[in-house]
Amino acid sequence: MMLRVFATMVILLVLLCNVGCSKSGETQLTEEEIAIFVQLARSVMSKHIVLSNDSLTAYGVTRVEDVRSVLPTAPEAAIADFLTKNIENLVIENDVEISDGFVLLASNDREPRLSGLHRYNAFSRVGFDETRESAVVYYLSACNPLCGEDAFYLLKKSNGKWGIAAESEKRRS
């Protein structure tokens, strides 16, 4: 039991060093982004998480007005940060266990691995407002190429925990 706790702590330290606890605008994931991914993914029966902004252009979201049309109450600063972070995909070099058995899958050679999964979760980078109390994220839960749902979420932090404040209309396939 102690060995497992120690191993989990080592993995988390490696994650924090390699995947990041960086400030907004840098090219690494933050601890808060990871917390939001896990929060949203808990309701789905998959522990596999991928980072992708590919669906943003498919959704037609490239400007502040586009996000405002699906999340009218989102703070403009969070939307701007969201769009800035999602201009390019962030490359994840290796699979990383991030929390409670959730695994952030490496970016390379991901597609063949996803086709073999029953279900997975895909997230954009998270955009934060100046106070880091509001966040905007795109989330896709997929069960195969022809099955899934996606939406944009506005999250608010209350007492140190992230909760959903608003969500766009879900698209289902």
Side-chain angles (χ1 to χ4, degrees):
M1 177 68 171
M2 290 298 288
L3 182 59
R4 184 179 175 126
V5 170
F6 177 73
T8 301
M9 289 175 63
V10 168
I11 289 170
L12 287 174
L13 283 173
V14 168
L15 170 69
L16 293 176
C17 292
N18 291 328
V19 180
C21 285
S22 60
K23 295 189 180 350
S24 178
E26 294 184 11
T27 58
Q28 294 183 338
L29 287 176
T30 66
E31 191 175 319
E32 287 176 297
E33 285 181 286
I34 292 167
I36 288 170
F37 297 164
V38 171
Q39 168 79 18
L40 290 173
R42 284 194 191 285
S43 63
V44 179
M45 300 307 291
S46 174
K47 298 280 189 173
H48 298 93
I49 294 175
V50 296
L51 190 63
S52 175
N53 67 358
D54 298 341
S55 298
L56 297 181
T57 51
Y59 207 105
V61 174
T62 56
R63 303 171 303 142
V64 170
E65 299 81 27
D66 300 330
V67 180
R68 173 86 51 231
S69 72
V70 295
L71 283 177
T73 59
E76 190 153 335
I79 295 172
D81 187 45
F82 168 82
L83 291 171
T84 299
K85 285 181 177 173
N86 285 288
I87 290 171
E88 294 182 20
N89 278 329
L90 177 65
V91 175
I92 305 299
E93 297 293 332
N94 299 299
D95 290 0
V96 181
E97 185 172 340
I98 55 177
S99 175
D100 299 330
F102 285 92
V103 177
L104 182 61
L105 298 178
S107 303
N108 60 337
D109 198 32
R110 181 172 59 201
E111 295 308 317
R113 293 172 65 200
L114 292 180
S115 65
L117 296 175
H118 173 65
R119 192 168 203 84
Y120 67 92
N121 307 287
F123 291 93
S124 67
R125 294 287 309 274
V126 180
F128 295 97
D129 67 355
E130 317 76 13
T131 64
R132 299 187 79 77
E133 297 292 319
S134 295
V136 172
V137 66
Y138 169 82
Y139 172 53
L140 164 72
S141 173
C143 44
N144 66 45
L146 301 175
C147 168
E149 66 180 23
D150 65 351
F152 285 87
Y153 289 88
L154 170 63
L155 295 102
K156 298 278 186 178
K157 190 188 278 188
S158 177
N159 298 323
K161 295 194 181 219
W162 289 100
I164 298 171
E167 67 182 84
S168 68
E169 185 174 326
K170 288 184 180 173
R171 298 186 316 165
R172 291 183 169 86
S173 60

